[in-house]
Amino acid sequence: MSIIDIKNMSYVYPSGQRALRSIDINIGEGEFVAVIGQNGAGKSTLMKTMTGLLKPTEGEVCIEGKGSDEYTMARLSTRVGYVLQNPDRQLFSNTVREEIAFGPRNLGVTGEELEKRVDETMKSVGIGHLAEEYPPSLSKGDRARVAIASVMAMNTKILILDEPTGGQDFEGRYQIMDIVRELNRQGYTIIIVTHAMSLVAEYAGRVIVLCEGEVLIDSDSRSVFSRPDLLRQTFICPPQVVELSRELYRESGSTAIELTVDDLADAILRKMQ
Amino acid sequence: MAMIVYHSGNSLLHRLDPRVKMILLILYTMVVFGVKSFSILGILFALVLLLWKSAGLPLSRLKKYLAYLTGMIVFLIIIQSFFLPGNINLVKPIFPEGFPILPGRGFVSLKGIVMGVLLGFRLFVLIMLMPTFIMTTTVNEMAVGMVRMGLPYKIAYLATTSINMIPSLQDEATTIMEAQKMRGFSVFEEGRFREKMKAFPALVVPLVIGAMRRAQAMGVAMDARAFGAGKSRTYRLTLKMTGSDWAVFFLMVLLAALLMGGAFILDREVSLWNRL
């Protein structure tokens, strides 16, 4: 069943700048989608139309079968969770606990139920020990986690993350992506915007490539990274391991690729045995 | 989106020396504050409106300003009519004569209402006055203008940088409010005044922390490029007062003097409603 259905949607900013052009995207429940493309390709605008922050100029965006303009913002915020690129723009409470309780409290959740929800959310992203800390004083990785938790606490089915790994070190990136993958396994529909192609190859099941406001490719990650010619149009390079595997397979006349280092290593080992 | 940004153009106001504009802005601000007569304020209003038109500034902004000010103006009228004693009261005093702090106050005086309207009008003219300088002068011109008038360069830089920061702070405020909307927070759109006041930290805390982080980073970046290392510096932009700059300056000073004089003569008008 499709949970987000975008039909022939265009978006033009009030300044007259056309950001999106006749977009058709259908996202099913439980998918893990990565949206990639150059800066200015329209990724953030697309995310904002999915969250209802922007209303499409033409066409429509349906969330769970209803047009985004039929929801009030408060209603929509219980369906779609949106984690901003910069966590510092959404943290303002005195403690991590209060920060996470802010969203559900707005929805009228109180008392024990609220406590329970906050505790569970903190546990699932691994920040239970930071409950009484002051959010701005946390490390960048922890701030990102608090931001994710604060949105998760809304109990939405859809989670949209705008560059969740931006500015994180190598370890931090994988920690965050592991949390996201775990959420996906629990049933969340995940949509992430990112520039880290290796993470896309490793985690996302489906990739949507945006180029100048239009969908260039929309397919599973293997097919997308098999089209380096097309990706070059929007200045995207597949991860190095994908390129390496392509070269290796080419020797044997195959067009196959491997998406991760582990996959390639396995393939080589199999070949050697 | 941005309320105060440079609005490019080539009008007389745009070409005028920034120093002249700055001094005139200060002078006219004082005039607006000093005037108690509706007629003179009306003339000032017409004058500023004329400046807006001649500089090609978007008049649609005025509606926005008025919308922002409405609450403030209503507040002024209420406060004044409650506490400014006059001869005609529409409502009997709420507080009795022996009441501490506010003996015999809490009426709705006609004089207070008139005073409130005057203060509101004055405020609006003041708010209108600012853009005639800020929206017609580039930040560079302001900085050089301030330095040439004897302000230390660091102060001039500080002032102009803050003006430059306004649009980006506005953008950031929008982003923060969007993030909060996504967490079911709708007070800024539909909440009542008290709720909005209570919700204020949710907006201000991230904004201030963000601004502080940015200012710190900016300080480091400036130090890294040796800001303030030279004892005296030169400017690419040089300012020279032309004949027309002087002419405009003297004309406007004369006009200000006339208006002040007029306000003095029209004192009778003021005393008229003072009797209310």
Side-chain angles (χ1 to χ4, degrees), chain A residues 6-13 16-25 35-36 38 40-51 54-61 208-216:
Chain A
I6 302 177
K7 287 176 225 152
N8 195 23
M9 188 265 287
S10 298
Y11 187 80
V12 183
Y13 277 101
Q17 186 199 353
R18 183 171 274 275
L20 296 171
R21 206 186 302 264
S22 42
I23 304 278
D24 278 293
I25 297 173
V35 178
I36 61 176
Q38 274 175 282
K43 301 182 300 288
S44 292
T45 310
L46 180 61
M47 296 306 114
K48 284 187 181 176
T49 57
M50 289 188 199
T51 56
L54 297 178
K55 304 288 179 214
T57 320
E58 282 162 44
E60 62 174 345
V61 177
I208 296 171
V209 186
L210 282 185
C211 179
E212 290 172 5
E214 288 177 75
V215 175
L216 190 66

mmCIF file of all heavy atoms in Angstrom, chain A residues 6-13 16-25 35-36 38 40-51 54-61 208-216:
data_model
loop_
_atom_site.group_PDB
_atom_site.id
_atom_site.type_symbol
_atom_site.label_atom_id
_atom_site.label_comp_id
_atom_site.label_asym_id
_atom_site.label_seq_id
_atom_site.Cartn_x
_atom_site.Cartn_y
_atom_site.Cartn_z
ATOM 1 N N ILE A 6 2.605 11.039 -4.754
ATOM 2 C CA ILE A 6 2.757 12.370 -5.345
ATOM 3 C C ILE A 6 2.386 12.284 -6.808
ATOM 4 O O ILE A 6 2.952 11.489 -7.554
ATOM 5 C CB ILE A 6 4.204 12.863 -5.184
ATOM 6 C CG1 ILE A 6 4.567 12.892 -3.698
ATOM 7 C CG2 ILE A 6 4.386 14.234 -5.807
ATOM 8 C CD1 ILE A 6 5.990 13.284 -3.434
ATOM 9 N N LYS A 7 1.383 13.087 -7.195
ATOM 10 C CA LYS A 7 0.888 13.008 -8.573
ATOM 11 C C LYS A 7 1.121 14.312 -9.307
ATOM 12 O O LYS A 7 0.597 15.347 -8.913
ATOM 13 C CB LYS A 7 -0.625 12.698 -8.565
ATOM 14 C CG LYS A 7 -0.933 11.264 -8.171
ATOM 15 C CD LYS A 7 -2.444 11.060 -8.096
ATOM 16 C CE LYS A 7 -2.799 10.294 -6.828
ATOM 17 N NZ LYS A 7 -4.126 10.579 -6.313
ATOM 18 N N ASN A 8 1.895 14.231 -10.345
ATOM 19 C CA ASN A 8 2.105 15.352 -11.260
ATOM 20 C C ASN A 8 2.278 16.668 -10.514
ATOM 21 O O ASN A 8 1.616 17.657 -10.810
ATOM 22 C CB ASN A 8 0.931 15.430 -12.241
ATOM 23 C CG ASN A 8 1.266 16.324 -13.417
ATOM 24 O OD1 ASN A 8 2.443 16.522 -13.719
ATOM 25 N ND2 ASN A 8 0.243 16.866 -14.054
ATOM 26 N N MET A 9 3.177 16.656 -9.540
ATOM 27 C CA MET A 9 3.287 17.795 -8.641
ATOM 28 C C MET A 9 4.398 18.752 -9.083
ATOM 29 O O MET A 9 5.485 18.331 -9.468
ATOM 30 C CB MET A 9 3.564 17.280 -7.226
ATOM 31 C CG MET A 9 3.517 18.333 -6.143
ATOM 32 S SD MET A 9 5.115 19.003 -5.736
ATOM 33 C CE MET A 9 5.822 17.630 -4.842
ATOM 34 N N SER A 10 4.089 20.035 -9.057
ATOM 35 C CA SER A 10 5.096 21.064 -9.324
ATOM 36 C C SER A 10 5.097 22.041 -8.168
ATOM 37 O O SER A 10 4.064 22.230 -7.530
ATOM 38 C CB SER A 10 4.787 21.827 -10.609
ATOM 39 O OG SER A 10 4.805 20.950 -11.691
ATOM 40 N N TYR A 11 6.256 22.629 -7.918
ATOM 41 C CA TYR A 11 6.287 23.668 -6.909
ATOM 42 C C TYR A 11 7.075 24.877 -7.406
ATOM 43 O O TYR A 11 8.198 24.755 -7.872
ATOM 44 C CB TYR A 11 6.886 23.182 -5.582
ATOM 45 C CG TYR A 11 6.741 24.244 -4.526
ATOM 46 C CD1 TYR A 11 5.534 24.400 -3.862
ATOM 47 C CD2 TYR A 11 7.764 25.135 -4.267
ATOM 48 C CE1 TYR A 11 5.364 25.413 -2.943
ATOM 49 C CE2 TYR A 11 7.600 26.155 -3.340
ATOM 50 C CZ TYR A 11 6.396 26.284 -2.686
ATOM 51 O OH TYR A 11 6.220 27.307 -1.792
ATOM 52 N N VAL A 12 6.447 26.040 -7.324
ATOM 53 C CA VAL A 12 7.104 27.290 -7.695
ATOM 54 C C VAL A 12 7.119 28.172 -6.455
ATOM 55 O O VAL A 12 6.090 28.388 -5.824
ATOM 56 C CB VAL A 12 6.327 28.004 -8.822
ATOM 57 C CG1 VAL A 12 7.054 29.271 -9.242
ATOM 58 C CG2 VAL A 12 6.120 27.082 -9.998
ATOM 59 N N TYR A 13 8.312 28.658 -6.083
ATOM 60 C CA TYR A 13 8.407 29.538 -4.913
ATOM 61 C C TYR A 13 7.757 30.884 -5.208
ATOM 62 O O TYR A 13 7.682 31.287 -6.364
ATOM 63 C CB TYR A 13 9.874 29.739 -4.524
ATOM 64 C CG TYR A 13 10.408 28.610 -3.677
ATOM 65 C CD1 TYR A 13 11.201 27.613 -4.224
ATOM 66 C CD2 TYR A 13 10.079 28.535 -2.324
ATOM 67 C CE1 TYR A 13 11.669 26.563 -3.448
ATOM 68 C CE2 TYR A 13 10.537 27.499 -1.540
ATOM 69 C CZ TYR A 13 11.336 26.516 -2.102
ATOM 70 O OH TYR A 13 11.786 25.485 -1.328
ATOM 71 N N GLY A 16 9.009 33.136 -7.739
ATOM 72 C CA GLY A 16 8.919 32.771 -9.149
ATOM 73 C C GLY A 16 9.890 31.677 -9.542
ATOM 74 O O GLY A 16 9.867 31.170 -10.669
ATOM 75 N N GLN A 17 10.753 31.294 -8.594
ATOM 76 C CA GLN A 17 11.735 30.255 -8.886
ATOM 77 C C GLN A 17 11.051 28.885 -8.895
ATOM 78 O O GLN A 17 10.389 28.504 -7.938
ATOM 79 C CB GLN A 17 12.816 30.297 -7.810
ATOM 80 C CG GLN A 17 13.954 29.356 -8.081
ATOM 81 C CD GLN A 17 14.745 29.065 -6.822
ATOM 82 O OE1 GLN A 17 14.516 29.670 -5.764
ATOM 83 N NE2 GLN A 17 15.657 28.133 -6.923
ATOM 84 N N ARG A 18 11.203 28.162 -10.014
ATOM 85 C CA ARG A 18 10.551 26.861 -10.139
ATOM 86 C C ARG A 18 11.468 25.805 -9.535
ATOM 87 O O ARG A 18 12.577 25.591 -10.015
ATOM 88 C CB ARG A 18 10.286 26.561 -11.617
ATOM 89 C CG ARG A 18 9.558 25.276 -11.861
ATOM 90 C CD ARG A 18 9.160 25.182 -13.319
ATOM 91 N NE ARG A 18 7.884 25.840 -13.563
ATOM 92 C CZ ARG A 18 6.709 25.229 -13.370
ATOM 93 N NH1 ARG A 18 6.655 24.002 -12.931
ATOM 94 N NH2 ARG A 18 5.590 25.867 -13.624
ATOM 95 N N ALA A 19 11.018 25.161 -8.476
ATOM 96 C CA ALA A 19 11.885 24.214 -7.775
ATOM 97 C C ALA A 19 11.604 22.768 -8.167
ATOM 98 O O ALA A 19 12.510 21.947 -8.225
ATOM 99 C CB ALA A 19 11.729 24.385 -6.269
ATOM 100 N N LEU A 20 10.343 22.440 -8.429
ATOM 101 C CA LEU A 20 9.991 21.069 -8.796
ATOM 102 C C LEU A 20 9.064 21.085 -10.000
ATOM 103 O O LEU A 20 8.212 21.958 -10.122
ATOM 104 C CB LEU A 20 9.292 20.371 -7.623
ATOM 105 C CG LEU A 20 10.102 20.146 -6.349
ATOM 106 C CD1 LEU A 20 9.200 19.643 -5.237
ATOM 107 C CD2 LEU A 20 11.258 19.182 -6.588
ATOM 108 N N ARG A 21 9.249 20.092 -10.870
ATOM 109 C CA ARG A 21 8.488 20.067 -12.114
ATOM 110 C C ARG A 21 7.871 18.675 -12.286
ATOM 111 O O ARG A 21 8.581 17.678 -12.247
ATOM 112 C CB ARG A 21 9.450 20.336 -13.260
ATOM 113 C CG ARG A 21 8.862 20.936 -14.508
ATOM 114 C CD ARG A 21 9.939 20.998 -15.566
ATOM 115 N NE ARG A 21 11.091 21.775 -15.108
ATOM 116 C CZ ARG A 21 11.273 23.065 -15.395
ATOM 117 N NH1 ARG A 21 10.396 23.695 -16.120
ATOM 118 N NH2 ARG A 21 12.343 23.697 -14.964
ATOM 119 N N SER A 22 6.588 18.627 -12.436
ATOM 120 C CA SER A 22 5.816 17.382 -12.644
ATOM 121 C C SER A 22 6.464 16.128 -12.043
ATOM 122 O O SER A 22 6.973 15.274 -12.731
ATOM 123 C CB SER A 22 5.504 17.158 -14.124
ATOM 124 O OG SER A 22 6.606 17.450 -14.930
ATOM 125 N N ILE A 23 6.412 16.083 -10.723
ATOM 126 C CA ILE A 23 6.976 14.950 -9.983
ATOM 127 C C ILE A 23 5.897 13.872 -9.797
ATOM 128 O O ILE A 23 4.770 14.186 -9.400
ATOM 129 C CB ILE A 23 7.448 15.406 -8.590
ATOM 130 C CG1 ILE A 23 8.441 16.552 -8.683
ATOM 131 C CG2 ILE A 23 7.991 14.230 -7.790
ATOM 132 C CD1 ILE A 23 9.840 16.163 -8.951
ATOM 133 N N ASP A 24 6.256 12.635 -10.106
ATOM 134 C CA ASP A 24 5.378 11.501 -9.817
ATOM 135 C C ASP A 24 6.168 10.509 -8.985
ATOM 136 O O ASP A 24 7.092 9.884 -9.492
ATOM 137 C CB ASP A 24 4.924 10.820 -11.125
ATOM 138 C CG ASP A 24 3.753 11.550 -11.744
ATOM 139 O OD1 ASP A 24 2.677 11.519 -11.133
ATOM 140 O OD2 ASP A 24 3.929 12.160 -12.813
ATOM 141 N N ILE A 25 5.824 10.394 -7.739
ATOM 142 C CA ILE A 25 6.524 9.439 -6.874
ATOM 143 C C ILE A 25 5.486 8.724 -6.017
ATOM 144 O O ILE A 25 4.524 9.330 -5.555
ATOM 145 C CB ILE A 25 7.538 10.149 -5.946
ATOM 146 C CG1 ILE A 25 8.638 10.838 -6.753
ATOM 147 C CG2 ILE A 25 8.173 9.142 -4.994
ATOM 148 C CD1 ILE A 25 9.558 11.690 -5.909
ATOM 149 N N VAL A 35 16.933 10.104 -1.251
ATOM 150 C CA VAL A 35 16.770 11.101 -2.306
ATOM 151 C C VAL A 35 18.117 11.775 -2.480
ATOM 152 O O VAL A 35 18.677 12.319 -1.526
ATOM 153 C CB VAL A 35 15.692 12.139 -1.933
ATOM 154 C CG1 VAL A 35 15.570 13.193 -3.017
ATOM 155 C CG2 VAL A 35 14.362 11.445 -1.713
ATOM 156 N N ILE A 36 18.671 11.696 -3.693
ATOM 157 C CA ILE A 36 19.979 12.305 -3.928
ATOM 158 C C ILE A 36 19.908 13.271 -5.101
ATOM 159 O O ILE A 36 18.934 13.286 -5.854
ATOM 160 C CB ILE A 36 21.082 11.237 -4.176
ATOM 161 C CG1 ILE A 36 20.762 10.407 -5.409
ATOM 162 C CG2 ILE A 36 21.231 10.335 -2.975
ATOM 163 C CD1 ILE A 36 21.856 9.394 -5.754
ATOM 164 N N GLN A 38 22.242 17.048 -6.832
ATOM 165 C CA GLN A 38 23.102 18.194 -6.521
ATOM 166 C C GLN A 38 22.417 19.154 -5.558
ATOM 167 O O GLN A 38 21.196 19.122 -5.426
ATOM 168 C CB GLN A 38 23.329 19.002 -7.795
ATOM 169 C CG GLN A 38 24.442 18.562 -8.659
ATOM 170 C CD GLN A 38 24.404 19.423 -9.893
ATOM 171 O OE1 GLN A 38 23.599 19.203 -10.780
ATOM 172 N NE2 GLN A 38 25.267 20.412 -9.939
ATOM 173 N N GLY A 40 20.505 22.290 -4.758
ATOM 174 C CA GLY A 40 19.625 23.069 -5.612
ATOM 175 C C GLY A 40 18.803 22.224 -6.563
ATOM 176 O O GLY A 40 18.079 22.748 -7.402
ATOM 177 N N ALA A 41 18.908 20.884 -6.440
ATOM 178 C CA ALA A 41 18.141 20.017 -7.334
ATOM 179 C C ALA A 41 16.673 19.964 -6.934
ATOM 180 O O ALA A 41 15.829 19.539 -7.716
ATOM 181 C CB ALA A 41 18.742 18.614 -7.337
ATOM 182 N N GLY A 42 16.365 20.391 -5.729
ATOM 183 C CA GLY A 42 14.978 20.398 -5.283
ATOM 184 C C GLY A 42 14.695 19.379 -4.182
ATOM 185 O O GLY A 42 13.537 19.141 -3.854
ATOM 186 N N LYS A 43 15.748 18.817 -3.597
ATOM 187 C CA LYS A 43 15.541 17.758 -2.600
ATOM 188 C C LYS A 43 14.784 18.282 -1.381
ATOM 189 O O LYS A 43 13.785 17.691 -0.971
ATOM 190 C CB LYS A 43 16.895 17.191 -2.130
ATOM 191 C CG LYS A 43 17.736 16.596 -3.235
ATOM 192 C CD LYS A 43 19.028 16.012 -2.691
ATOM 193 C CE LYS A 43 19.931 16.984 -1.986
ATOM 194 N NZ LYS A 43 20.623 17.958 -2.828
ATOM 195 N N SER A 44 15.283 19.395 -0.830
ATOM 196 C CA SER A 44 14.640 19.903 0.386
ATOM 197 C C SER A 44 13.219 20.366 0.105
ATOM 198 O O SER A 44 12.327 20.185 0.939
ATOM 199 C CB SER A 44 15.460 21.038 0.985
ATOM 200 O OG SER A 44 16.676 20.531 1.470
ATOM 201 N N THR A 45 13.011 20.972 -1.065
ATOM 202 C CA THR A 45 11.661 21.405 -1.415
ATOM 203 C C THR A 45 10.735 20.194 -1.488
ATOM 204 O O THR A 45 9.604 20.228 -0.986
ATOM 205 C CB THR A 45 11.679 22.132 -2.767
ATOM 206 O OG1 THR A 45 12.694 23.113 -2.754
ATOM 207 C CG2 THR A 45 10.344 22.787 -3.049
ATOM 208 N N LEU A 46 11.231 19.112 -2.089
ATOM 209 C CA LEU A 46 10.424 17.894 -2.178
ATOM 210 C C LEU A 46 10.062 17.395 -0.775
ATOM 211 O O LEU A 46 8.908 17.043 -0.510
ATOM 212 C CB LEU A 46 11.197 16.819 -2.952
ATOM 213 C CG LEU A 46 10.487 15.480 -3.133
ATOM 214 C CD1 LEU A 46 9.198 15.651 -3.921
ATOM 215 C CD2 LEU A 46 11.389 14.476 -3.830
ATOM 216 N N MET A 47 11.050 17.420 0.134
ATOM 217 C CA MET A 47 10.789 16.965 1.501
ATOM 218 C C MET A 47 9.720 17.830 2.155
ATOM 219 O O MET A 47 8.834 17.340 2.830
ATOM 220 C CB MET A 47 12.064 17.029 2.358
ATOM 221 C CG MET A 47 13.192 16.130 1.938
ATOM 222 S SD MET A 47 12.711 14.425 1.790
ATOM 223 C CE MET A 47 12.910 14.187 0.051
ATOM 224 N N LYS A 48 9.842 19.153 1.925
ATOM 225 C CA LYS A 48 8.895 20.056 2.575
ATOM 226 C C LYS A 48 7.483 19.887 2.026
ATOM 227 O O LYS A 48 6.514 20.128 2.734
ATOM 228 C CB LYS A 48 9.353 21.507 2.428
ATOM 229 C CG LYS A 48 10.486 21.827 3.368
ATOM 230 C CD LYS A 48 10.819 23.290 3.343
ATOM 231 C CE LYS A 48 11.984 23.571 4.283
ATOM 232 N NZ LYS A 48 12.387 24.977 4.193
ATOM 233 N N THR A 49 7.346 19.493 0.747
ATOM 234 C CA THR A 49 5.988 19.253 0.255
ATOM 235 C C THR A 49 5.438 17.975 0.876
ATOM 236 O O THR A 49 4.247 17.873 1.113
ATOM 237 C CB THR A 49 5.947 19.134 -1.281
ATOM 238 O OG1 THR A 49 6.825 18.084 -1.679
ATOM 239 C CG2 THR A 49 6.338 20.411 -1.956
ATOM 240 N N MET A 50 6.313 17.002 1.157
ATOM 241 C CA MET A 50 5.839 15.764 1.785
ATOM 242 C C MET A 50 5.421 15.994 3.220
ATOM 243 O O MET A 50 4.574 15.298 3.745
ATOM 244 C CB MET A 50 6.938 14.704 1.753
ATOM 245 C CG MET A 50 7.235 14.150 0.389
ATOM 246 S SD MET A 50 8.362 12.772 0.589
ATOM 247 C CE MET A 50 9.029 12.641 -1.048
ATOM 248 N N THR A 51 6.061 16.977 3.875
ATOM 249 C CA THR A 51 5.715 17.230 5.267
ATOM 250 C C THR A 51 4.531 18.174 5.391
ATOM 251 O O THR A 51 4.028 18.376 6.485
ATOM 252 C CB THR A 51 6.882 17.888 6.014
ATOM 253 O OG1 THR A 51 7.243 19.070 5.310
ATOM 254 C CG2 THR A 51 8.076 16.980 6.087
ATOM 255 N N LEU A 54 5.114 22.957 2.705
ATOM 256 C CA LEU A 54 4.838 23.662 1.455
ATOM 257 C C LEU A 54 3.680 22.960 0.765
ATOM 258 O O LEU A 54 3.634 21.730 0.724
ATOM 259 C CB LEU A 54 6.069 23.646 0.541
ATOM 260 C CG LEU A 54 7.328 24.348 1.032
ATOM 261 C CD1 LEU A 54 8.441 24.191 0.021
ATOM 262 C CD2 LEU A 54 7.060 25.817 1.290
ATOM 263 N N LYS A 55 2.763 23.748 0.240
ATOM 264 C CA LYS A 55 1.647 23.166 -0.503
ATOM 265 C C LYS A 55 1.986 23.211 -1.987
ATOM 266 O O LYS A 55 2.413 24.249 -2.486
ATOM 267 C CB LYS A 55 0.356 23.966 -0.254
ATOM 268 C CG LYS A 55 -0.007 24.079 1.209
ATOM 269 C CD LYS A 55 -0.517 22.773 1.789
ATOM 270 C CE LYS A 55 -0.838 22.938 3.281
ATOM 271 N NZ LYS A 55 -0.574 21.722 4.058
ATOM 272 N N PRO A 56 1.802 22.100 -2.704
ATOM 273 C CA PRO A 56 2.186 22.068 -4.121
ATOM 274 C C PRO A 56 1.472 23.140 -4.941
ATOM 275 O O PRO A 56 0.306 23.446 -4.682
ATOM 276 C CB PRO A 56 1.786 20.669 -4.573
ATOM 277 C CG PRO A 56 0.934 20.112 -3.507
ATOM 278 C CD PRO A 56 1.284 20.806 -2.253
ATOM 279 N N THR A 57 2.191 23.725 -5.891
ATOM 280 C CA THR A 57 1.587 24.721 -6.767
ATOM 281 C C THR A 57 0.638 24.042 -7.754
ATOM 282 O O THR A 57 -0.435 24.552 -8.057
ATOM 283 C CB THR A 57 2.684 25.475 -7.542
ATOM 284 O OG1 THR A 57 3.781 25.725 -6.674
ATOM 285 C CG2 THR A 57 2.163 26.793 -8.064
ATOM 286 N N GLU A 58 1.087 22.895 -8.261
ATOM 287 C CA GLU A 58 0.210 22.096 -9.134
ATOM 288 C C GLU A 58 0.260 20.652 -8.661
ATOM 289 O O GLU A 58 1.197 20.240 -8.006
ATOM 290 C CB GLU A 58 0.722 22.135 -10.576
ATOM 291 C CG GLU A 58 0.408 23.406 -11.323
ATOM 292 C CD GLU A 58 1.307 23.530 -12.552
ATOM 293 O OE1 GLU A 58 1.463 22.506 -13.251
ATOM 294 O OE2 GLU A 58 1.853 24.614 -12.764
ATOM 295 N N GLY A 59 -0.727 19.874 -9.073
ATOM 296 C CA GLY A 59 -0.751 18.468 -8.714
ATOM 297 C C GLY A 59 -1.041 18.294 -7.242
ATOM 298 O O GLY A 59 -1.458 19.229 -6.564
ATOM 299 N N GLU A 60 -0.821 17.070 -6.711
ATOM 300 C CA GLU A 60 -1.094 16.896 -5.291
ATOM 301 C C GLU A 60 -0.151 15.915 -4.634
ATOM 302 O O GLU A 60 0.494 15.095 -5.272
ATOM 303 C CB GLU A 60 -2.556 16.489 -5.075
ATOM 304 C CG GLU A 60 -2.950 15.186 -5.710
ATOM 305 C CD GLU A 60 -4.369 14.775 -5.318
ATOM 306 O OE1 GLU A 60 -4.899 15.356 -4.351
ATOM 307 O OE2 GLU A 60 -4.920 13.884 -5.952
ATOM 308 N N VAL A 61 -0.091 16.054 -3.310
ATOM 309 C CA VAL A 61 0.702 15.157 -2.474
ATOM 310 C C VAL A 61 -0.271 14.489 -1.518
ATOM 311 O O VAL A 61 -0.937 15.176 -0.744
ATOM 312 C CB VAL A 61 1.762 15.938 -1.674
ATOM 313 C CG1 VAL A 61 2.516 15.008 -0.753
ATOM 314 C CG2 VAL A 61 2.716 16.655 -2.610
ATOM 315 N N ILE A 208 15.979 7.774 -5.340
ATOM 316 C CA ILE A 208 15.367 8.727 -6.264
ATOM 317 C C ILE A 208 16.407 9.801 -6.559
ATOM 318 O O ILE A 208 16.921 10.443 -5.636
ATOM 319 C CB ILE A 208 14.103 9.369 -5.652
ATOM 320 C CG1 ILE A 208 13.036 8.292 -5.435
ATOM 321 C CG2 ILE A 208 13.577 10.482 -6.546
ATOM 322 C CD1 ILE A 208 11.838 8.758 -4.639
ATOM 323 N N VAL A 209 16.746 9.958 -7.831
ATOM 324 C CA VAL A 209 17.742 10.963 -8.202
ATOM 325 C C VAL A 209 17.017 12.169 -8.771
ATOM 326 O O VAL A 209 16.281 12.065 -9.749
ATOM 327 C CB VAL A 209 18.724 10.409 -9.254
ATOM 328 C CG1 VAL A 209 19.832 11.423 -9.516
ATOM 329 C CG2 VAL A 209 19.304 9.090 -8.807
ATOM 330 N N LEU A 210 17.220 13.315 -8.139
ATOM 331 C CA LEU A 210 16.617 14.550 -8.629
ATOM 332 C C LEU A 210 17.662 15.336 -9.415
ATOM 333 O O LEU A 210 18.847 15.352 -9.063
ATOM 334 C CB LEU A 210 16.134 15.415 -7.472
ATOM 335 C CG LEU A 210 14.832 15.037 -6.785
ATOM 336 C CD1 LEU A 210 14.479 16.099 -5.757
ATOM 337 C CD2 LEU A 210 13.695 14.859 -7.758
ATOM 338 N N CYS A 211 17.200 15.961 -10.489
ATOM 339 C CA CYS A 211 18.094 16.791 -11.285
ATOM 340 C C CYS A 211 17.300 17.986 -11.788
ATOM 341 O O CYS A 211 16.310 17.818 -12.496
ATOM 342 C CB CYS A 211 18.656 15.975 -12.449
ATOM 343 S SG CYS A 211 19.739 16.916 -13.503
ATOM 344 N N GLU A 212 17.688 19.167 -11.374
ATOM 345 C CA GLU A 212 17.008 20.401 -11.756
ATOM 346 C C GLU A 212 15.497 20.322 -11.602
ATOM 347 O O GLU A 212 14.738 20.689 -12.492
ATOM 348 C CB GLU A 212 17.387 20.782 -13.190
ATOM 349 C CG GLU A 212 18.838 21.226 -13.259
ATOM 350 C CD GLU A 212 19.315 21.430 -14.681
ATOM 351 O OE1 GLU A 212 18.485 21.307 -15.592
ATOM 352 O OE2 GLU A 212 20.511 21.696 -14.845
ATOM 353 N N GLY A 213 15.064 19.810 -10.480
ATOM 354 C CA GLY A 213 13.640 19.799 -10.169
ATOM 355 C C GLY A 213 12.847 18.675 -10.793
ATOM 356 O O GLY A 213 11.620 18.640 -10.670
ATOM 357 N N GLU A 214 13.527 17.757 -11.479
ATOM 358 C CA GLU A 214 12.795 16.637 -12.060
ATOM 359 C C GLU A 214 13.401 15.324 -11.583
ATOM 360 O O GLU A 214 14.560 15.262 -11.199
ATOM 361 C CB GLU A 214 12.854 16.706 -13.583
ATOM 362 C CG GLU A 214 12.005 17.829 -14.145
ATOM 363 C CD GLU A 214 12.122 17.933 -15.650
ATOM 364 O OE1 GLU A 214 11.547 17.086 -16.340
ATOM 365 O OE2 GLU A 214 12.810 18.842 -16.110
ATOM 366 N N VAL A 215 12.575 14.269 -11.657
ATOM 367 C CA VAL A 215 13.091 12.960 -11.270
ATOM 368 C C VAL A 215 13.889 12.397 -12.431
ATOM 369 O O VAL A 215 13.353 12.220 -13.525
ATOM 370 C CB VAL A 215 11.937 12.005 -10.904
ATOM 371 C CG1 VAL A 215 12.481 10.605 -10.630
ATOM 372 C CG2 VAL A 215 11.185 12.523 -9.693
ATOM 373 N N LEU A 216 15.182 12.161 -12.180
ATOM 374 C CA LEU A 216 16.037 11.633 -13.247
ATOM 375 C C LEU A 216 15.935 10.106 -13.278
ATOM 376 O O LEU A 216 15.698 9.515 -14.332
ATOM 377 C CB LEU A 216 17.477 12.074 -12.996
ATOM 378 C CG LEU A 216 18.482 11.835 -14.105
ATOM 379 C CD1 LEU A 216 18.166 12.670 -15.322
ATOM 380 C CD2 LEU A 216 19.892 12.181 -13.599
#
